Amino acid sequence: MDYENKLVLAPMVRVGTLPFRLLAAQYGADITYGEEIIDHKLVKCERIVNEYIGSIDFVEKGTNNVVFRTCDQERNQVVFQMGTSDAVRALTAAKIVCKDVAAVDINMGCPKSFSVSGGMGAALLSKPELIHDILTTLKRNLNVPVTCKIRLLKSSQDTVELARRIEKTGVAALAVHGRKVADRPRDPAKWSEIADVVAALSIPVIANGDVFEYADFQRIKTATGASSVMVARGALWNVSIFSPEGKLHWEDMKREYVRKSILWDNDIKSTKHTLKEFIMHYSSLELPEGKAVIKSETLADLSKLYGEEEYYHFVNENRVSVNKNKNHLNPKRSDEAADDGFFIYSRVPESVLGGLWAL
């Protein structure tokens, strides 16, 4: 994994699932972080190759609960972000997933109560010895890059000191969110304090905070000297922010996300959560669209709401497991569709095929 001059999709809970990551990559993201997965959850999972949709699933044993879904398409750019407070458990979890991802990242910046109360996320910022234990344990035992993401501490000097200690563990890169734990999203990101970290380290630093337009990627790089730039809300509100050609209309992005979610059989709760974030930013959940999303119970409901019923039925009726031994079916394949995990038949209307190939 190369961390120089990269555009990076930040980890976002219930947003950074496979469809959203692939959409970000489609528009220019070089590295895509998955949503934070707690180590306790992953250690209960088994790896399953889902031939039906062409994905690799990590499923909680004894259930149908997919904790993490990835695919070969993103193998060289997806970062698995983990929430942990224990080095041994972190290693156990990382070993389950490390062969299917490009890197493993430890979340040390999440201020949410569910994370902090378990000694994870931002709670680690005050425990440098535990940070050292977790990172060195992973670094010694994994064959993929290990990184972490932090927030700013009370003073720039404290942040720099912690960053130096992290660098000594041998991590490949450090992501720095330019806000403190007590800061709210509306508070301006402190790019100058990220710059202090960059100046003190020799490893790549990924700057995060207040990137809302494509031009902001260069602005924050210039202001901080960071190697790469990470974006969260700017991508959530319009994932085509990664495109140098300019952002597409958010309505188009919304429909593309719905189609990707159908294609990869995304969890309905995660899909609805992401759509609601779109709607709340540009409109209101109190309007008919918002109410309809809230009421939807399946991807089929969402396909109807967004005029993608034909696409939904096509995908679900024509999926065939990727198996070269089944070539006697004589399908007409497109390279992109084959990567997505199913065959395309020539009997399908051209209007539908064109939209599918675009995905």
Side-chain angles (χ1 to χ4, degrees):
M1 178 75 84
D2 178 10
Y3 291 95
E4 295 291 339
N5 297 311
K6 302 301 181 185
L7 306 185
V8 185
L9 175 69
M12 290 182 279
V13 174
R14 299 186 75 175
V15 173
T17 54
L18 180 59
F20 197 85
R21 296 196 304 267
L22 291 178
L23 203 52
Q26 177 179 315
Y27 281 99
D30 302 299
I31 300 173
T32 54
Y33 280 58
E35 61 175 335
E36 177 192 15
I37 304 293
I38 306 302
D39 57 3
H40 286 287
K41 271 192 173 184
L42 196 63
V43 296
K44 298 176 183 177
C45 291
E46 58 184 337
R47 180 184 186 274
I48 295 176
V49 177
N50 186 337
E51 294 187 342
Y52 183 63
I53 64 173
S55 65
I56 299 166
D57 297 347
F58 294 85
V59 182
E60 191 173 351
K61 295 174 183 176
T63 75
N64 292 320
N65 179 33
V66 178
V67 173
F68 180 67
R69 170 168 287 165
T70 184
C71 67
D72 288 341
Q73 268 179 255
E74 65 169 5
R75 169 65 181 80
N76 295 322
Q77 65 187 139
V78 63
V79 176
F80 181 84
Q81 194 191 58
M82 185 191 309
T84 186
S85 60
D86 181 85
V88 174
R89 190 169 60 245
L91 179 60
T92 301
K95 283 184 173 180
I96 294 171
V97 75
C98 66
K99 293 182 180 179
D100 296 295
V101 298
V104 172
D105 182 85
I106 300 301
N107 184 334
M108 299 182 185
C110 180
K112 302 293 185 182
S113 59
F114 79 88
S115 187
V116 175
S117 62
M120 302 173 290
L124 289 173
L125 295 175
S126 60
K127 301 175 182 178
E129 293 81 10
L130 180 54
I131 288 175
H132 181 273
D133 191 21
I134 292 171
L135 295 177
T136 53
T137 298
L138 294 179
K139 182 68 174 62
R140 283 196 304 261
N141 293 281
L142 298 180
N143 292 323
V144 296
V146 175
T147 62
C148 65
K149 183 172 185 283
I150 67 171
R151 280 180 177 249
L152 301 176
L153 300 184
K154 290 184 179 180
S155 72
S156 183
Q157 182 178 350
D158 289 342
T159 307
V160 168
E161 182 179 338
L162 177 63
R164 283 174 170 157
R165 296 188 69 163
I166 289 172
E167 181 179 39
K168 290 178 181 178
T169 66
V171 293
L174 173 66
V176 182
H177 184 174
R179 291 184 175 85
K180 300 175 183 179
V181 173
D183 289 343
R184 310 314 307 153
R186 63 178 176 272
D187 296 323
K190 300 171 179 64
W191 289 2
S192 63
E193 294 194 28
I194 299 177
D196 292 339
V197 175
V198 174
L201 303 187
S202 58
I203 60 172
V205 172
I206 305 169
N208 174 217
D210 289 353
V211 175
F212 300 112
E213 302 292 340
Y214 185 81
D216 291 337
F217 286 117
Q218 188 56 51
R219 287 182 57 239
I220 191 172
K221 278 197 71 177
T222 301
T224 65
S227 300
S228 295
V229 179
M230 175 181 283
V231 56
R233 289 177 297 156
L236 169 60
W237 297 334
N238 193 320
V239 72
S240 63
I241 188 175
F242 293 104
S243 172
E245 298 175 3
K247 290 190 288 190
L248 279 70
H249 194 279
W250 75 280
E251 291 282 2
D252 296 329
M253 290 295 91
K254 195 167 48 178
R255 286 191 61 179
E256 280 205 62
Y257 173 70
V258 169
R259 290 163 75 90
K260 273 279 197 291
S261 295
I262 291 170
L263 189 62
W264 292 100
D265 193 25
N266 199 41
D267 173 69
I268 183 63
K269 291 182 180 179
S270 295
T271 306
K272 287 173 60 175
H273 174 82
T274 304
L275 287 171
K276 287 190 289 185
E277 290 287 341
F278 290 161
I279 294 166
M280 285 189 292
H281 182 65
Y282 291 100
S283 179
S284 169
L285 290 176
E286 297 302 315
L287 295 177
E289 179 190 3
K291 291 181 178 180
V293 168
I294 293 170
K295 187 178 179 181
S296 296
E297 297 180 352
T298 64
L299 290 175
D301 292 338
L302 291 176
S303 73
K304 184 175 182 179
L305 174 62
Y306 288 103
E308 297 292 348
E309 285 180 283
E310 186 178 13
Y311 180 84
Y312 175 85
H313 292 300
F314 160 63
V315 167
N316 284 280
E317 291 171 5
N318 291 280
R319 274 190 175 124
V320 178
S321 297
V322 174
N323 188 332
K324 293 182 180 179
N325 294 328
K326 293 182 180 179
N327 283 340
H328 64 275
L329 292 173
N330 194 29
K332 179 179 180 180
R333 298 182 65 176
S334 84
D335 290 339
E336 289 185 23
D339 287 340
D340 282 343
F342 56 95
F343 296 121
I344 309 303
Y345 290 81
S346 57
R347 69 174 184 272
V348 178
E350 187 174 335
S351 61
V352 179
L353 279 177
L356 181 61
W357 288 347
L359 294 179

